[in-house]
Amino acid sequence: MYITGFLVCLLLKGNVAARTPNNSLLEGLLKFIPEGTRYYEEEPPDAKKIIPEYDFIVVGAGSAGSVLANRLTEISEWDILLVEAGGRENYAMDIPLLANFLPFTEANWKYRTVPSDNVCLGMVNRQCLYHRGKVMGGSSTINFMVSTRGNRRNYDQWEEMGNTGWGYKDVLPYFLKLENMTIPELARDTKYHSTSGEQPTSYATYRTPLADAFVNGGEELGYKIVDYNGETQTGFSYLQSTTRDGARWGASRSFLHPIRNRKNFHVSKRSLVTKILIDPITKTAFGVRFVRNKKEYEVRARKEVILSAGAVNSPQLLMLSGIGPRKHLTEMNIPVIQDLKVGYNLMDHPGMPSATFIVNQSVTYLTDAVMSNRSAFLDYLYNRRGPFSVPGASEGIAFIDTKDPKNPDGNPDVELFFLAAGIPSEVTYYKLLGYTDELYNTVYKHLEGGHYWTAVSMVLQPKSRGRIMLKSSNPRQSPLIYHDFYHNPEDLETQLLAIKEVMKLSKTQAFRKFGSKLHDIPIPGCKHLLFGSDDYWRCVSRHTATGIWHLSGTCKMGPHWDSSAVVGPRLRVYGVKGLRVIDASIMPMVPTAHTNIPSMMIGEKGADLVKQDWDRLD
């Protein structure tokens, strides 16, 4: 049985077509997993019958929606319907090393930005790919499992913008409520960590020598090894991830599996919500319309409709339902119910993953080597250990305040995200990033079979803003995503500073002992510039940087006097009764964090706001 399962895993090897696995290939793994490990059977089943009316309808089973559904169903008198456009999870999705394969499956919405003349220039059709989860658990089921909260100043800034109750002192209890810290030395800090929540956080059960080089190199540069989810954030660290015992624990597994038998909880999967039902006279949301198995349903909500569909789908659904910018909705022939700045304020963290460093030892995650290592695969199946337990080859993370680098309690503006792999390590990486064949074949193809590392240089406090717009009034048509993430020139200069931090790291003794050397074949669109110069790296950033899929801000939270706000601090949509948005789209400023855990925090706090407003919070 195990050998057969291993051979199925080998199907991921070979040409690109074989290495862009479809769902049936991943499902094939399920047949060969030992009995007792089929946790996916604990996923809440589809409701056999959708009843006509619920107290609350939650749209989207992602990071925020999963938490929200868990907490609302604690009130046994409330009936909750959770509607998810995607399908069920499967076991292969929870093998951490396979993270880079998952966006090729049907579990991804497969969004692309509108072609740009300023960024994404090395991508196919000059479009960046924005991977968003279309599956139970949402993006937490297909992401790289990074567990970060951000800096306390992020949330204090939210409060200073007029969002009462969203300061750090207010949100920290919600981070603690959801967390189950399994790293003993960190769990002892009970002020900043908890072991009683549903969401596990751990280190991988395996690490390469380059992971040590990363944190030791940071120390050489004068930075501390830090618990970045503790009192301060600035410094270097091994990666804290949303894993446990070597497996992914996404939001569905953490928050929905345990409540699958609650009698007041119904789930409708593979169900595309096409419209929020709103009385145009009273401006009250009273239900949703969705399609499942080619059948259309209209279901009513006695109390509220809550959107937790994410920073792309929540604004899309609001606009389809008549809530959004008047001029844009009129152009789409959609009757306007409420004129709000829906879709504006789009934020993400641009990251540049294309600087590749060659090492002279076999100390990285070379896919061919790992996939052909039978003992490593069996070790993972039996013990959840070994290289298959590492989230997409990512092993370390650093937060740096380039304006005040010596301050141990700085306000980081750049992140270095360390992978013991490079673009040539696995031929689907460049497809994952959306790079053209020309770029890959010119710069990387001849390196296949070698060993590399990468530190993705990321801008954490972007000033550029994008926008989500409807392409048409057809809910099945993907919206338009406009995001020139270097529109504000300061962001490009911050990106340059981040790249320089990577170059300094590469020259430390910790990396030199592995013969670390920057790969120096230039990106085709930048070969007219001096390799390694500031202008060269600016050009490379415009060609190869991408959003890191931390989309946020498109249903901005703000006080009533903020004309750009879509929801208030209690997350109710302005001017429409019975309607809230509770997900990353409400972030007024994106935190200095990967947004999975902050989105869960929003789900936690949002649930309490709902309970308070309906007088059911203890």
Side-chain angles (χ1 to χ4, degrees):
M1 178 175 66
Y2 298 108
I3 294 175
T4 308
F6 176 70
L7 292 175
V8 170
C9 207
L10 288 181
L11 290 176
L12 298 175
K13 288 169 53 56
N15 58 36
V16 173
R19 295 168 109 166
T20 53
N22 56 34
N23 208 48
S24 61
L25 173 58
L26 295 179
E27 287 284 1
L29 280 169
L30 302 179
K31 302 175 183 177
F32 310 107
I33 304 303
E35 292 295 330
T37 64
R38 294 184 179 180
Y39 82 86
Y40 63 90
E41 294 176 351
E42 299 175 358
E43 181 179 290
D46 261 328
K48 294 181 180 178
K49 182 179 180 182
I50 303 296
I51 60 178
E53 191 173 64
Y54 294 81
D55 290 290
F56 295 89
I57 299 173
V58 179
V59 180
S63 300
S66 295
V67 176
L68 183 64
N70 180 298
R71 302 315 187 206
L72 293 184
T73 55
E74 292 172 344
I75 309 300
S76 59
E77 295 84 5
W78 286 351
D79 292 324
I80 313 297
L81 173 64
L82 178 61
V83 187
E84 168 56 42
R88 69 186 305 179
E89 306 148 85
N90 64 40
Y91 178 87
M93 291 176 176
D94 285 331
I95 301 175
L97 192 66
L98 298 186
N100 58 295
F101 292 108
L102 302 180
F104 297 107
T105 71
E106 64 175 10
N108 181 13
W109 284 95
K110 297 182 173 69
Y111 290 128
R112 297 174 181 266
T113 59
V114 173
S116 172
D117 292 325
N118 193 47
V119 294
C120 312
L121 302 180
M123 280 68 163
V124 175
N125 199 33
R126 307 189 320 281
Q127 292 178 283
C128 276
L129 305 184
Y130 277 164
H131 306 304
R132 311 306 300 156
K134 186 182 181 184
V135 62
M136 293 297 288
S139 296
S140 75
T141 302
I142 68 168
N143 67 3
F144 275 59
M145 295 152 273
V146 181
S147 179
T148 53
R149 299 175 183 171
N151 194 281
R152 70 178 187 278
R153 298 174 183 87
N154 304 149
Y155 305 103
D156 288 342
Q157 185 180 21
W158 289 10
E159 188 169 48
E160 289 164 6
M161 295 170 72
N163 296 297
T164 304
W166 289 89
Y168 184 64
K169 67 182 185 303
D170 304 300
V171 302
L172 178 59
Y174 292 106
F175 282 121
L176 295 175
K177 183 179 180 181
L178 65 88
E179 183 182 72
N180 178 8
M181 174 54 72
T182 67
I183 304 169
E185 62 269 28
L186 303 187
R188 287 193 288 268
D189 183 357
T190 56
K191 183 176 180 179
Y192 293 100
H193 290 294
S194 168
T195 58
S196 60
E198 290 90 342
Q199 181 58 58
T201 296
S202 71
Y203 290 145
T205 58
Y206 178 89
R207 94 181 27 140
T208 68
L210 287 181
D212 297 326
F214 178 75
V215 294
N216 293 337
E219 282 192 300
E220 281 188 55
L221 295 176
Y223 296 103
K224 290 185 177 181
I225 298 178
V226 67
D227 169 14
Y228 53 81
N229 286 322
E231 183 176 8
T232 61
Q233 187 183 18
T234 302
F236 280 61
S237 175
Y238 298 107
L239 188 69
Q240 297 178 35
S241 60
T242 53
T243 58
R244 182 175 185 176
D245 298 327
R248 177 196 296 269
W249 280 69
S252 176
R253 188 176 186 184
S254 295
F255 292 95
L256 298 182
H257 292 207
I259 65 169
R260 64 191 179 278
N261 295 322
R262 286 183 181 170
K263 297 186 183 302
N264 62 335
F265 179 41
H266 281 182
V267 176
S268 186
K269 301 168 191 167
R270 298 190 181 278
S271 302
L272 180 68
V273 177
T274 58
K275 190 175 185 179
I276 307 163
L277 304 177
I278 304 171
D279 186 318
I281 306 300
T282 64
K283 293 190 177 183
T284 301
F286 61 87
V288 300
R289 181 181 299 150
F290 65 89
V291 177
R292 182 173 83 168
N293 295 329
K294 299 181 180 180
K295 181 180 179 181
E296 187 171 82
Y297 294 79
E298 284 194 2
V299 183
R300 290 181 172 254
R302 284 185 287 268
K303 291 181 168 62
E304 293 185 21
V305 174
I306 303 175
L307 299 189
S308 296
V312 176
N313 296 93
S314 284
Q316 179 191 25
L317 188 52
L318 285 176
M319 289 188 284
L320 289 169
S321 307
I323 301 170
R326 181 177 300 277
K327 179 181 178 183
H328 180 48
L329 297 189
T330 301
E331 291 170 348
M332 295 291 109
N333 295 314
I334 297 173
V336 179
I337 290 176
Q338 186 69 19
D339 182 9
L340 292 172
K341 289 267 191 174
V342 174
Y344 288 80
N345 196 47
L346 174 63
M347 293 172 286
D348 198 350
H349 296 132
M352 206 278 285
S354 56
T356 300
F357 295 87
I358 304 168
V359 295
N360 59 12
Q361 299 177 42
S362 301
V363 289
T364 69
Y365 298 96
L366 180 61
T367 299
D368 282 351
V370 175
M371 291 294 187
S372 60
N373 188 333
R374 180 177 182 274
S375 62
F377 188 69
L378 295 180
D379 189 30
Y380 183 78
L381 284 182
Y382 281 116
N383 306 311
R384 299 296 185 273
R385 291 180 178 158
F388 283 94
S389 72
V390 180
S394 55
E395 296 192 304
I397 196 167
F399 296 95
I400 297 171
D401 183 348
T402 62
K403 297 180 179 64
D404 192 8
K406 299 302 180 184
N407 183 356
D409 186 22
N411 185 11
D413 55 354
V414 304
E415 175 189 318
L416 308 185
F417 184 57
F418 177 75
L419 298 95
I423 291 171
S425 301
E426 163 51 52
V427 296
T428 59
Y429 279 165
Y430 88 96
K431 295 287 189 181
L432 179 78
L433 295 166
Y435 293 170
T436 64
D437 289 342
E438 177 197 4
L439 190 153
Y440 180 76
N441 291 337
T442 301
V443 181
Y444 301 106
K445 185 172 180 58
H446 69 284
L447 296 179
E448 290 177 7
H451 289 270
Y452 314 98
W453 65 270
T454 305
V456 181
S457 51
M458 198 180 306
V459 178
L460 288 180
Q461 299 186 39
K463 294 180 170 58
S464 302
R465 296 291 183 270
R467 185 178 173 187
I468 303 288
M469 300 179 71
L470 297 178
K471 189 172 184 179
S472 76
S473 60
N474 180 357
R476 294 187 177 278
Q477 194 158 34
S478 296
L480 301 173
I481 303 176
Y482 292 91
H483 195 198
D484 175 358
F485 42 76
Y486 295 137
H487 177 74
N488 188 312
E490 289 186 40
D491 292 337
L492 184 58
E493 295 311 300
T494 302
Q495 183 73 77
L496 179 61
L497 293 175
I499 294 167
K500 289 182 176 180
E501 291 292 333
V502 175
M503 297 304 145
K504 287 191 287 186
L505 179 68
S506 73
K507 294 179 173 63
T508 60
Q509 182 57 38
F511 278 104
R512 282 205 303 266
K513 69 180 183 181
F514 294 99
S516 179
K517 177 185 176 184
L518 176 64
H519 175 50
D520 58 4
I521 291 183
I523 299 297
C526 306
K527 62 184 179 181
H528 61 289
L529 299 167
L530 178 64
F531 184 90
S533 66
D534 288 359
D535 282 343
Y536 174 78
W537 289 121
R538 291 185 184 101
C539 178
V540 170
S541 297
R542 292 189 187 279
H543 279 75
T544 66
T546 183
I548 304 297
W549 317 314
H550 301 161
L551 300 178
S552 52
T554 49
C555 300
K556 180 185 174 184
M557 173 175 64
H560 65 88
W561 43 260
D562 182 353
S563 62
S564 64
V566 175
V567 302
R570 301 194 72 78
L571 308 185
R572 292 181 289 215
V573 175
Y574 280 116
V576 182
K577 300 173 186 175
L579 181 61
R580 294 191 208 231
V581 181
I582 301 179
D583 59 29
S585 68
I586 66 96
M587 295 177 177
M589 297 286 291
V590 64
T592 59
H594 295 235
T595 49
N596 181 35
I597 295 297
S599 296
M600 290 183 183
M601 178 276 291
I602 290 169
E604 285 279 19
K605 182 171 173 61
D608 271 6
L609 293 175
V610 172
K611 290 177 179 178
Q612 287 170 357
D613 289 343
W614 291 96
D615 198 26
R616 294 309 305 267
L617 183 64
D618 294 335

